[in-house]
């Protein structure tokens, strides 16, 4: 094995982590946070539906399972962002755009959901800003239209 081949074998892990901009790391962390929050909410609603006395058991179980399935999108996007995969930016942006109306609805509630709406709105806007940042797009290898760099 030549000395030229040895560095290529080690470039799969360490240099990729070193080349990842902090903005991309933060975007991956925010997407993972949203995914984990969806998993926790899904498990909680599912547990209440199965063990508690909800108004409609079938609706609670369906809602819990739906949240668990929806958690896959931000979790997969977070993993892709962490591994610097180009495809991951699309699902991450879609997740943030879908979270904004949810945050708005939480803000319209007259209850304890208002702080959750504020938190979700802040996380979503911050993640969107991080995802469209030029450093993030360069790290993911995304070029603008008409650019063949």
């Amino acid at each position: 094995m030549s000395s030229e081949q040895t560095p290529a074998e080690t470039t799969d892990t360490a240099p990729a982590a070193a080349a990842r901009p902090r903005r991309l790391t933060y975007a991956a962390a925010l997407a993972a946070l949203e995914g984990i929050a969806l998993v926790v909410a899904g498990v909680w609603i599912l547990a209440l539906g199965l063990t508690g006395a909800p108004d409609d058991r079938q609706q609670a179980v369906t809602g819990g399972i739906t949240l668990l399935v929806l958690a896959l999108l931000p979790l997969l996007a977070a993993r892709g962002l962490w591994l610097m995969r180009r495809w991951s930016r699309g699902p991450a942006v879609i997740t943030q755009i879908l979270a904004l109306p949810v945050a708005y609805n939480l803000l319209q509630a007259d209850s304890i959901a208002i702080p959750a709406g504020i938190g979700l709105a802040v996380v979503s806007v911050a993640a969107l800003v991080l995802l469209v940042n030029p450093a993030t797009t360069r790290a993911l290898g995304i070029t603008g239209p008409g650019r063949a760099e």
Side-chain angles (χ1 to χ4, degrees):
M1 181 174 279
S2 70
S3 62
E4 294 174 6
Q5 292 174 339
T6 305
E9 293 175 357
T10 59
T11 58
D12 291 340
T13 56
R20 184 185 316 112
R22 281 189 297 170
R23 291 180 177 106
L24 185 57
T25 303
Y26 296 153
L30 290 175
L33 177 69
E34 288 173 334
I36 291 168
L38 283 170
V39 168
V40 169
V43 168
W44 182 63
I45 290 173
L46 189 60
L48 286 178
L50 294 174
T51 62
D55 293 337
D56 186 3
R57 183 178 304 262
Q58 183 179 3
Q59 185 177 5
V61 171
T62 302
I65 291 171
T66 301
L67 286 179
L68 290 174
V69 171
L70 286 175
L72 291 175
L73 184 64
L75 290 174
L76 288 173
R79 184 174 188 275
L81 290 171
W82 183 259
L83 297 174
M84 296 176 54
R85 304 288 191 248
R86 182 187 311 217
W87 60 263
S88 62
R89 184 171 166 234
V93 168
I94 290 169
T95 300
Q96 306 317 316
I97 291 171
L98 291 175
L100 290 173
V102 174
Y104 179 77
N105 282 335
L106 290 172
L107 289 171
Q108 299 304 310
D110 193 23
S111 68
I112 191 129
I114 293 173
I118 293 169
L120 181 58
V122 168
V123 167
S124 296
V125 170
L128 277 172
V129 168
L130 292 169
L131 288 167
V132 298
N133 187 281
T136 301
T137 56
R138 272 193 306 275
L140 293 174
I142 298 171
T143 58
R147 295 185 184 143
E149 294 176 23

